[in-house]
Amino acid sequence: MTSIKSRGVVAEETLTELHTQDGSVDLKGNPILRSKRGVWKACSFLVVYEVFERFAFYGISSNLILYLTKKLHQGTVTAANNVTNWNGTIWLAPMVGAYIADAHLGRYWTFLIASLIHVTGMCLLTLSVSIEGLKPPSCALANVAECKEPSALQLSVFFTALYMFGVGAGGTKANMIVLGADQFDEFYPKEKLQKFSFFNWWMFTIFFGALMGNTFLVYIQDNVGWSLGYGIPTIGLAIAVIVFLAGTPYYRHKLPMGSPFTTMFKVIFAALRKWRLPLPVDSQELYELNLEEYSKEGRCKIAPTNTLRFLNKAAIKTDSMSTWMLILITQVEETKQMLCLFPIMITSILPSTMVAQVNTLFVKQGTTLDRGLGNFQIPPASLAGFVTISMLIFVIFYDRFFVPIMRRWTKNPRGVTLLQRMGLGLVLHIVVMVAASLTERWRLSVARQHGIVQNGGVVPLSIFILLPQFILMGVADAVFEVVRVEFFYDQAPESMKSLGTSYYMTSLGVGSFLSSFLLKTVADITQRNHRKGWILNNLNDSHLDYYYWFFAILNALNFILFLFMAKFYVYKAEVSDSMEVLKKDLENDN
């Protein structure tokens, strides 16, 4: 295979006809031509599915708390926890999807099978809100505890469909964005630069799908009916699967390289078994294959480093040739890279609990305010659309204005480092919760002034007083969410990209479960000894302002922890010289 070390070595017209250098193949495992597959052409087919998937996901998640409280007659805490538990499952399931893709089926087939489960779950969910026998009778009582509870069958069908949708999402979310990033050759500077923009524009399409789900679908559900509100995204998902299949001839694929978990377990096991053996002075004495062996498989050879140096003992040569006792130094370094991502993942969990508030408590706040706009009643969940709008605007600003300016200043092709951008996002999440707390304090004071605390009446304030916290959340997510997925993809080794991306989704999932835990714990603790409590079904008699201040303090402490972790983080070495070429281009432009 022809080596491409930098631009200028091979003429542009010849470059486009060479096989990619990153091990990309077609579905049959044959090397492919760069000019025939990949880049933005292939991504256009993938984007269609992503838009419809987010359209369906946010159409469900944004309004789910209202369906659970108004249709299934659940209390505020129970409904909010059901929403966050479901969200948590959806974001943890990609870990399984990543394992299956990396170890067995590859990203394409894993995604395709998961997408069919996804559509099936959506179909069943639509039936559960449409057929009379599968949903409880309507109830207009203010106290949902007095309404007739849904039957075991009705709950079983609804939650089975909901979690089937989640299982399908696990396989698609773990692999879709990785499959999209695989369409750009890491060894070709032009495509390397395109990959930086890819993550911003990929998230832009996600935000667009979310916007349609948070506005159009939410309006349909609230004003026309849940059957149509769930039926539309079901049809959309089915069409998106067909579009995905139509793009098959244009995709670049990476062959599965074995279970990343098995590799990591073997490295740790071997290092522990050989902990008494001294490391050789010359790292060349450690067990490794020659470069040609890696080139044949389209893999990258990694030189030994001093990070987590103890694990290098797994590659010490001994009499045993067992694959559990003698590990390649490249596999050791891959394991190190995945382990080093873990502390950063820990600090990214708490911001995920902020995302959970948008579709739960933020929406419930909206139900207590004046939603009238002329003769039109604004659906509370539709305010989540402002999160998406601010995301869309900020992503465009960031990619088209901020990054070019910072590139000229810092000489970094990304503009700023991944961890610098992540830190900014963490600061913005603190600002969001402070703003939310101040707004809630204002809402409660007006409720007291008008004597509507006990009866839970509508507070005479426009629902638009909540806009600052929704808009700020959108800006925070545009900064933090984009860089989070890029960081875990970029810093994961080439053979573990799906697993790396699943770290991002795992932090979202754990954050959702953490939100459930904190909500229930705070609600229980604050009601002990016959106290009123912070979080009640009647929000006018609650103290969400205290709860939001609690989150602001937690986020501030988390930011301090992040600074400590980031200080000791070492970015992985680039597998090609594309970054150096791009940096030289920036220097020459000046």
Side-chain angles (χ1 to χ4, degrees), residues 406-431:
M406 295 304 295
R407 277 175 182 163
R408 290 194 290 270
W409 185 29
T410 65
K411 305 299 184 294
N412 186 326
R414 285 190 171 92
V416 295
T417 67
L418 296 172
L419 290 177
Q420 286 171 342
R421 185 176 177 183
M422 196 175 288
L424 175 60
L426 291 174
V427 171
L428 288 172
H429 277 99
I430 300 172
V431 175

Side-chain angles (χ1 to χ4, degrees), residues 13-250:
E13 61 271 16
T14 306
L15 264 173
T16 58
E17 293 306 321
L18 292 174
H19 294 149
T20 55
Q21 306 301 296
D22 60 353
S24 293
V25 296
D26 60 18
L27 274 177
K28 295 181 179 179
N30 300 316
I32 54 93
L33 297 179
R34 180 185 293 117
S35 61
K36 302 294 184 182
R37 295 172 181 260
V39 293
W40 296 110
K41 181 197 295 184
C43 286
S44 63
F45 293 93
L46 304 177
V47 160
V48 171
Y49 187 91
E50 195 68 16
V51 169
F52 277 103
E53 194 279 333
R54 294 309 167 111
F55 178 56
F57 172 68
Y58 284 100
I60 294 172
S61 62
S62 297
N63 230 10
L64 183 57
I65 190 169
L66 296 187
Y67 187 85
L68 294 176
T69 53
K70 292 184 177 181
K71 301 298 181 181
L72 295 187
H73 315 144
Q74 296 183 344
T76 299
V77 173
T78 301
N81 282 346
N82 275 328
V83 172
T84 50
N85 288 339
W86 175 68
N87 271 296
T89 301
I90 279 184
W91 293 115
L92 284 180
M95 186 70 76
V96 178
Y99 165 76
I100 294 173
D102 283 341
H104 301 291
L105 300 181
R107 286 153 200 158
Y108 177 89
W109 291 110
T110 303
F111 172 84
L112 183 59
I113 293 171
S115 67
L116 297 177
I117 298 173
H118 208 179
V119 173
T120 303
M122 195 68 215
C123 290
L124 185 58
L125 194 61
T126 302
L127 293 175
S128 72
V129 301
S130 303
I131 299 174
E132 289 299 325
L134 296 180
K135 57 183 181 179
S138 299
C139 178
L141 297 175
N143 185 4
V144 295
E146 299 176 4
C147 296
K148 182 180 179 180
E149 294 184 357
S151 67
L153 174 64
Q154 291 165 344
L155 288 176
S156 297
V157 172
F158 181 80
F159 281 104
T160 296
L162 203 61
Y163 279 89
M164 184 179 290
F165 179 94
V167 170
T172 58
K173 290 179 184 296
N175 294 288
M176 177 54 84
I177 193 167
V178 185
L179 186 59
D182 285 348
Q183 306 310 307
F184 301 90
D185 191 341
E186 185 80 16
F187 291 82
Y188 186 34
K190 180 179 178 181
E191 292 190 15
K192 176 80 169 180
L193 188 62
Q194 289 175 327
K195 185 182 283 190
F196 296 155
S197 288
F198 162 77
F199 287 100
N200 287 323
W201 289 104
W202 184 268
M203 295 301 285
F204 181 92
T205 63
I206 288 175
F207 299 155
F208 180 76
L211 176 62
M212 295 301 294
N214 288 330
T215 53
F216 173 70
L217 273 188
V218 165
Y219 175 80
I220 294 294
Q221 291 163 4
D222 280 7
N223 295 278
V224 180
W226 294 91
S227 300
L228 185 62
Y230 281 6
I232 291 174
T234 300
I235 296 172
L237 273 179
I239 294 173
V241 172
I242 296 172
V243 173
F244 170 78
L245 289 171
T248 299
Y250 302 100

Side-chain angles (χ1 to χ4, degrees), residues 339-380:
L339 292 176
C340 286
L341 291 177
F342 199 75
I344 302 299
M345 185 186 76
I346 295 297
T347 61
S348 71
I349 289 174
L350 192 61
S352 298
T353 65
M354 305 299 99
V355 177
Q357 308 315 306
V358 173
N359 295 329
T360 54
L361 297 181
F362 282 17
V363 173
K364 285 295 291 183
Q365 280 179 281
T367 63
T368 69
L369 296 165
D370 179 11
R371 299 186 284 123
L373 190 63
N375 295 324
F376 177 73
Q377 288 291 305
I378 300 171

Side-chain angles (χ1 to χ4, degrees), residues 382-525:
S382 67
L383 285 190
F386 286 96
V387 175
T388 310
I389 291 171
S390 59
M391 283 178 171
L392 292 171
I393 294 173
F394 192 83
V395 165
I396 295 173
F397 168 79
Y398 185 88
D399 192 74
R400 292 304 182 193
F401 299 100
F402 181 79
V403 171
I405 292 172
M406 295 304 295
R407 277 175 182 163
R408 290 194 290 270
W409 185 29
T410 65
K411 305 299 184 294
N412 186 326
R414 285 190 171 92
V416 295
T417 67
L418 296 172
L419 290 177
Q420 286 171 342
R421 185 176 177 183
M422 196 175 288
L424 175 60
L426 291 174
V427 171
L428 288 172
H429 277 99
I430 300 172
V431 175
V432 170
M433 298 319 295
V434 171
S437 180
L438 295 176
T439 301
E440 178 63 7
R441 178 168 294 188
W442 177 24
R443 191 190 69 81
L444 291 175
S445 68
V446 173
R448 287 192 295 268
Q449 291 170 11
H450 288 78
I452 52 175
V453 172
Q454 297 302 322
N455 63 15
V458 174
V459 179
L461 285 172
S462 170
I463 193 173
F464 290 117
I465 68 165
L466 300 178
L467 278 186
Q469 66 200 56
F470 280 94
I471 292 173
L472 285 171
M473 183 65 82
V475 175
D477 285 350
V479 174
F480 191 75
E481 296 304 316
V482 175
V483 71
R484 179 159 52 166
V485 66
E486 182 178 355
F487 175 81
F488 289 118
Y489 174 88
D490 183 81
Q491 293 298 296
E494 296 303 306
S495 63
M496 300 181 181
K497 291 298 187 185
S498 291
L499 180 60
T501 306
S502 73
Y503 271 29
Y504 151 69
M505 296 172 186
T506 298
S507 66
L508 283 171
V510 175
S512 291
F513 285 117
L514 179 61
S515 177
S516 295
F517 171 77
L518 290 174
L519 183 64
K520 189 176 187 306
T521 302
V522 170
D524 289 344
I525 290 176

